[in-house]
């Protein structure tokens, strides 16, 4: 306790130098928390974007459907009402909807193009994936009353040289092999955030697709949204008990988009890289300061040794001093970092999606509790480690030589 | 009580070996008020450092309470310095961030066996004895040289050591203050029966000593023992 008291007083001896050290540590911790918050906000935005545009929380497919997804097989379809009845007793489900993925050909009088079609129950789809309608460039997204309307990607609309309100023909092969066609009116044009399907994607109402493909009451994919406070794994567990024996596969968004999840997790490495760089900066700053402190107080170390201080006392004294600076700097950095993340989270950072003009999304950095604890530990840890060498040097001084120094 | 037996001390200065002490032997009894005198560079400080367990002799022995301090490790030497020896320095060597009371209290860092009340009693009574009762909360920067040296004396005596070593205690003080400090030291020697060994090259200062050991070129040149009572 006496040593801590001396250490606290010693930090006030050279106020400017102590301030520089503390500010350096505070900046380091601030950057870690802020950069980490931005990365976490970006990760969350990517995942929410994915869930609310495409995957929903949970999906049900016929076993084997996902392996042959590239072929868009219609024969591996599901009777939607069977699923609806099956999940009726499961708690925590908010919404359920069916989708049909199919391939077809769009044609105008002059042009034609391949379509990667996604048929949706508009009202339910918007309830599950509300962001699906966010990226409109011209016109509007489908509404629940729409029939024989289509919404296309910008690329597809440009290739077909059509405008809002123009009609076009959609040809598709039904489940039983018959080629059917229907006339559709272009209602809107959107940007797809996924580069692969960007050129070919189009939405039509589920009913229209079911009539075209002769799939009354059938869907190829069931998508579900859960209530906020329910555990997704518990729901999926219950669903698996009910459905697995009947040839269904049930997956969470995490299982469905493993590539994106891995990419998101890799973004987390950025925080680690930033942390390591700042660790080195804080470490060298504290060590430099403490080496200077030990050098300046050599005579004092000699005095302390003469009056009976042991090496461990001298070592502890300087480690306390360094640690104190680390703790103060770390706390200031953490508080400022949390405030900054909180303010920026409220305001949001408007950003453009890559390759998309005019369409922005709001990035909201998030406070990461794990990172805060880590940053505090890191600042104190770096300070302790950085103080050890100068403190050890001080404690091993020869008392006579130390006393001789001016 | 303290026995210096044929002690030599060599220092390396680059490639040169400086022989600071060339064979010094002396015994110092309890309660002595002794002075080591001699010109600069004669080995006074070196001899005090060896007696104070701050350094070890190159050859020979320093025996304190029948213990050869040359055989002790750093922590054992620190323990002896803390319990048996008090130091008064030429430049006072107080810790600037601590006040008068705390500078003295600091010596008890590793004393677990002394009750806090007893510690407090010892500190305050010594502060009174050296005449700094009104300066308890003052930091060294707020004190004069003479006052700082009084704190230094109180710090040296608070552990009730067997010997107090003072390396040129009046060198940084004016003659009037020097006289006061020396009188305090004499009083303390009489009152507490603590052995005092101090070094000086000032003949006026050495006159206060009951025993004067005169060093020259690392050896004892002469010794005067007086009874001034």
């Amino acid at each position: 306790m006496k040593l801590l008291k001396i250490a606290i007083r010693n930090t006030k001896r050279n106020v400017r130098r102590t301030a520089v050290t503390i500010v350096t540590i505070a900046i380091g911790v601030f950057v870690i928390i802020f950069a980490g918050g931005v990365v976490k906000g970006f990760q969350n935005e990517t995942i929410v974007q994915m869930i609310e545009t495409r995957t929903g929380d949970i999906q049900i497919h016929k076993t084997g459907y996902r392996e042959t997804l590239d072929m868009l097989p219609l024969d591996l379809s599901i009777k939607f009402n069977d699923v609806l009845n099956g999940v009726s007793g499961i708690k925590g489900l908010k919404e359920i909807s069916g989708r049909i993925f199919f391939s077809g050909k769009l044609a105008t009088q002059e042009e034609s193009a391949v379509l990667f079609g996604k048929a949706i129950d508009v009202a339910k789809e918007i309830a599950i994936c509300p962001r699906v309608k966010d990226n409109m460039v011209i016109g509007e997204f489908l509404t629940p009353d729409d029939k024989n309307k289509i919404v296309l990607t910008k690329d597809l609309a440009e290739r077909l040289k059509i405008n809002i309100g123009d009609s076009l023909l959609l040809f598709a092969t039904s489940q039983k092999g018959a080629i059917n066609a229907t006339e559709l009116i272009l209602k809107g044009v959107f940007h797809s955030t996924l580069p692969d399907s960007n050129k070919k994607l189009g939405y039509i109402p589920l009913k229209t697709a079911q009539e075209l493909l002769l799939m009354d009451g059938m869907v190829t994919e069931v998508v579900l949204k859960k209530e906020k406070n329910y555990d997704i794994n518990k729901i999926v567990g219950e669903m698996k008990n009910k459905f697995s024996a009947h040839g269904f596969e049930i997956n969470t968004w995490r299982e469905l988009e493993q590539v994106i999840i891995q990419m998101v997790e890799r973004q987390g490495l950025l925080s680690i890289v930033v942390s390591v760089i700042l660790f080195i900066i804080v470490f060298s700053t504290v060590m430099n300061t403490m080496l200077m402190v030990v050098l300046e107080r050599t005579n004092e170390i000699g005095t302390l040794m003469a009056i009976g201080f042991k090496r461990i006392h001298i070592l502890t004294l300087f480690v306390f001093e360094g640690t104190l600076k680390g703790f103060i700097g770390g706390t200031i950095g953490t508080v400022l970092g949390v405030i900054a993340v909180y303010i920026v989270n409220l305001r949001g950072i408007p950003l453009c999606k890559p390759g998309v003009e005019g369409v922005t999304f709001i990035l909201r950095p998030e406070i990461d509790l794990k990172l805060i604890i880590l940053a505090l530990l890191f600042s104190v840890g770096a300070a302790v480690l950085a103080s050890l060498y100068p403190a050890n040097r001080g404690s091993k001084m020869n008392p006579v030589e130390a006393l001789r120094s001016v | 009580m303290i026995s210096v037996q044929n002690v030599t001390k060599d220092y390396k200065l680059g490639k040169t070996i400086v022989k600071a002490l060339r064979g010094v032997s002396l015994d110092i009894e309890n309660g002595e008020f002794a002075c080591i005198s001699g010109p600069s560079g004669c080995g006074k400080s070196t001899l005090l450092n060896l007696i104070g367990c701050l350094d070890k002799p190159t050859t020979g022995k320093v025996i304190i309470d029948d213990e050869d301090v040359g055989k002790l490790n750093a922590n054992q030497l620190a323990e002896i310095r803390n319990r048996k020896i008090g130091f008064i320095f030429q430049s006072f060597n107080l810790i600037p961030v601590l006040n008068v009371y705390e500078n003295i209290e600091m010596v008890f860092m590793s004393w677990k066996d002394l009750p806090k009340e007893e510690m407090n009693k010892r500190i305050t009574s010594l502060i009174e004895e050296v005449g700094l009762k009104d300066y308890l909360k003052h930091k060294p920067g707020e004190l004069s040289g003479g006052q700082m040296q009084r704190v230094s004396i109180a710090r040296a005596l608070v552990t009730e050591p067997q010997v107090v070593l003072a390396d040129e205690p009046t060198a940084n003080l004016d003659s009037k203050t020097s006289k006061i400090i020396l009188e305090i030291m004499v009083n303390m020697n009489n009152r507490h029966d603590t052995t005092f060994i101090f070094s000086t090259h000032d003949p006026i200062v050495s006159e206060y000593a009951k025993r004067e050991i005169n060093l020259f070129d690392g050896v004892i040149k002469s010794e005067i023992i007086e009874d001034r009572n």
Side-chain angles (χ1 to χ4, degrees):
Chain A
M1 197 60 203
K2 282 177 203 161
L3 287 174
L4 186 61
K5 189 160 88 177
I6 302 173
I8 291 170
R9 301 235 185 121
N10 277 340
T11 56
K12 299 177 198 163
R13 281 170 85 155
N14 191 329
V15 177
R16 195 180 299 171
R17 188 171 54 205
T18 301
V20 168
T21 311
I22 287 174
V23 166
T24 308
I25 298 168
I27 290 172
V29 172
F30 174 87
V31 171
I32 290 174
I33 289 179
F34 191 75
V38 169
V39 168
K40 197 176 179 204
F42 202 81
Q43 288 174 318
N44 281 0
E45 170 60 26
T46 309
I47 287 169
V48 170
Q49 171 76 15
M50 178 188 84
I51 292 172
E52 295 196 345
T53 310
R54 301 193 305 278
T55 64
D57 290 324
I58 302 162
Q59 288 185 4
I60 304 174
H61 302 96
K62 202 83 176 174
T63 304
Y65 179 81
R66 287 180 61 227
E67 285 76 39
T68 53
L69 188 62
D70 289 345
M71 326 249 305
L72 301 174
L74 297 175
D75 52 333
L76 291 172
S77 56
I78 302 166
K79 207 170 181 183
F80 183 66
N81 278 342
D82 287 352
V83 177
L84 199 63
N85 294 333
V87 299
S88 61
I90 297 172
K91 276 185 181 176
L93 288 175
K94 196 174 181 182
E95 193 59 83
I96 175 165
S97 182
R99 292 168 174 171
I100 296 175
F101 289 98
F102 65 98
S103 64
K105 196 158 191 178
L106 288 169
T108 61
Q109 283 183 344
E110 286 98 26
E111 303 289 339
S112 69
V114 173
L115 171 76
F116 171 68
K118 189 172 176 181
I120 53 169
D121 180 328
V122 179
K124 290 178 179 173
E125 184 75 23
I126 289 172
I128 296 168
C129 296
R131 294 197 188 187
V132 72
K133 57 181 173 34
D134 275 1
N135 296 339
M136 300 308 292
V137 180
I138 332 164
E140 286 170 0
F141 195 72
L142 301 170
T143 50
D145 302 330
D146 283 335
K147 216 186 159 204
N148 293 335
K149 298 272 172 68
I150 190 165
V151 176
L152 294 176
T153 60
K154 197 180 166 198
D155 288 308
L156 212 44
E158 280 171 358
R159 178 182 284 198
L160 293 164
K161 295 175 184 154
I162 51 167
N163 296 312
I164 303 297
D166 289 352
S167 66
L168 69 167
L169 280 174
L170 166 61
F171 297 90
T173 308
S174 75
Q175 197 180 1
K176 286 172 185 160
I179 299 173
N180 291 339
T182 188
E183 191 179 2
L184 302 169
I185 292 166
L186 182 67
K187 193 179 181 191
V189 173
F190 69 96
H191 270 295
S192 172
T193 48
L194 287 181
D196 284 349
S197 55
N198 196 33
K199 290 176 181 164
K200 294 191 246 171
L201 187 63
Y203 290 97
I204 64 168
L206 185 64
K207 278 271 174 235
T208 307
Q210 283 172 333
E211 281 170 19
L212 176 75
L213 302 166
L214 309 175
M215 290 175 68
D216 190 28
M218 305 297 284
V219 292
T220 56
E221 179 173 290
V222 176
V223 59
L224 301 103
K225 183 184 176 76
K226 69 170 189 72
E227 296 278 3
K228 243 185 179 173
N229 300 326
Y230 280 81
D231 177 15
I232 193 166
N233 295 321
K234 202 179 158 196
I235 295 172
V236 168
E238 271 186 69
M239 288 171 73
K240 278 185 178 166
N241 284 341
K242 282 199 171 181
F243 289 105
S244 292
H246 302 94
F248 290 106
E249 269 178 4
I250 294 134
N251 299 100
T252 61
W253 55 267
R254 193 175 280 279
E255 293 161 342
L256 290 164
E257 294 284 3
Q258 285 174 2
V259 175
I260 290 184
I261 303 300
Q262 279 170 9
M263 188 189 82
V264 164
E265 280 165 1
R266 248 176 260 139
Q267 287 170 350
L269 287 176
L270 187 68
S271 304
I272 296 171
V273 172
V274 172
S275 304
V276 169
I277 293 168
L278 288 163
F279 185 90
I280 294 166
I281 294 170
V282 171
F283 184 84
S284 49
T285 306
V286 175
M287 187 180 280
N288 187 34
T289 308
M290 292 313 292
L291 277 171
M292 275 198 285
V293 164
V294 168
L295 195 72
E296 277 175 12
R297 298 200 201 132
T298 303
N299 184 271
E300 217 168 288
I301 293 170
T303 307
L304 294 174
M305 285 176 161
I307 63 170
F309 270 49
K310 291 179 181 161
R311 280 182 176 170
I312 187 73
H313 294 135
I314 309 277
L315 186 100
T316 312
L317 185 65
F318 286 105
V319 170
F320 271 173
E321 192 174 331
T323 308
L324 211 63
K325 287 172 185 168
F327 180 74
I328 297 168
T331 308
I332 293 171
T334 303
V335 171
L336 293 179
V338 168
I339 292 171
V341 170
Y342 181 74
I343 291 171
V344 179
N345 177 285
L346 287 182
R347 294 192 168 196
I349 308 169
L351 291 174
C352 290
K353 282 175 185 166
V356 181
E357 279 173 44
V359 182
T360 60
F361 69 100
I362 306 294
L363 174 65
R364 296 188 187 278
E366 296 213 357
I367 292 165
D368 188 343
L369 193 68
K370 227 194 287 176
L371 200 67
I372 290 172
I373 296 167
L374 207 73
L376 256 177
L377 285 177
F378 137 86
S379 56
V380 174
V384 171
L385 286 177
S387 312
L388 272 175
Y389 171 68
N392 187 47
R393 235 171 91 157
S395 74
K396 284 189 174 161
M397 279 180 183
N398 177 314
V400 174
E401 281 169 22
L403 279 167
R404 217 178 280 151
S405 113
V406 181
Chain B
M1 185 199 95
I2 296 171
S3 176
V4 178
Q5 298 175 1
N6 201 22
V7 157
T8 67
K9 181 68 190 175
D10 300 344
Y11 289 113
K12 260 189 178 177
L13 272 181
K15 286 180 181 172
T16 321
I17 291 174
V18 179
K19 292 188 177 296
L21 293 177
R22 298 162 184 262
V24 172
S25 297
L26 63 103
D27 290 324
I28 292 167
E29 297 302 326
N30 284 341
E32 278 198 53
F33 197 77
C35 155
I36 300 168
S37 63
S40 288
C42 69
K44 302 187 293 289
S45 297
T46 305
L47 183 57
L48 279 183
N49 287 340
L50 293 175
I51 296 170
C53 299
L54 288 169
D55 212 349
K56 288 182 181 180
T58 307
T59 59
K61 286 178 183 177
V62 176
I63 312 269
I64 298 176
D65 279 350
D66 302 324
E67 195 159 31
D68 181 358
V69 296
K71 288 179 181 165
L72 302 179
N73 65 29
N75 275 344
Q76 289 166 323
L77 290 173
E79 187 75 18
I80 289 195
R81 289 196 296 268
N82 185 235
R83 299 268 173 169
K84 296 186 177 177
I85 301 164
F87 288 90
I88 300 169
F89 300 96
Q90 182 180 331
S91 309
F92 328 122
N93 291 29
L94 301 177
I95 306 299
V97 292
L98 302 179
N99 64 31
V100 167
Y101 185 94
E102 291 163 340
N103 257 293
I104 301 168
E105 184 196 24
M106 195 178 57
V107 185
F108 292 113
M109 174 63 63
S110 48
W111 286 52
K112 304 273 182 270
D113 46 345
L114 191 72
K116 205 166 165 50
E117 300 76 43
E118 168 66 14
M119 193 194 300
N120 185 46
K121 208 172 117 188
R122 279 202 207 177
I123 298 168
T124 45
S125 102
L126 268 167
I127 289 175
E128 267 182 54
E129 275 190 70
V130 296
L132 290 175
K133 196 182 160 191
D134 299 329
Y135 295 86
L136 273 180
K137 301 280 177 198
H138 284 58
K139 298 260 174 75
E142 298 157 350
L143 302 174
S144 67
Q147 287 169 325
M148 282 198 271
Q149 199 59 303
R150 292 188 210 191
V151 180
S152 190
I153 292 171
R155 181 179 66 183
L157 284 162
V158 77
T159 55
E160 296 176 356
Q162 288 164 15
V163 59
V164 171
L165 303 173
D167 192 6
E168 310 233 15
T170 57
N172 282 350
L173 303 173
D174 59 62
S175 58
K176 197 176 154 195
T177 316
S178 296
K179 201 176 158 205
I180 296 167
I181 291 297
L182 285 163
E183 275 163 9
I184 291 173
M185 284 167 59
V186 171
N187 278 340
M188 293 293 182
N189 171 246
N190 291 335
R191 215 177 294 168
H192 300 276
D193 200 29
T194 309
T195 312
F196 271 78
I197 308 170
F198 62 98
S199 66
T200 185
H201 57 262
D202 184 347
I204 301 168
V205 175
S206 57
E207 269 183 24
Y208 282 82
K210 294 171 190 163
R211 176 182 177 192
E212 184 180 344
I213 301 143
N214 188 245
L215 275 184
F216 188 80
D217 252 359
V219 288
I220 295 174
K221 192 180 156 197
S222 61
E223 208 172 323
I224 306 160
I225 300 172
E226 276 183 53
D227 186 3
R228 289 193 172 93
N229 295 327

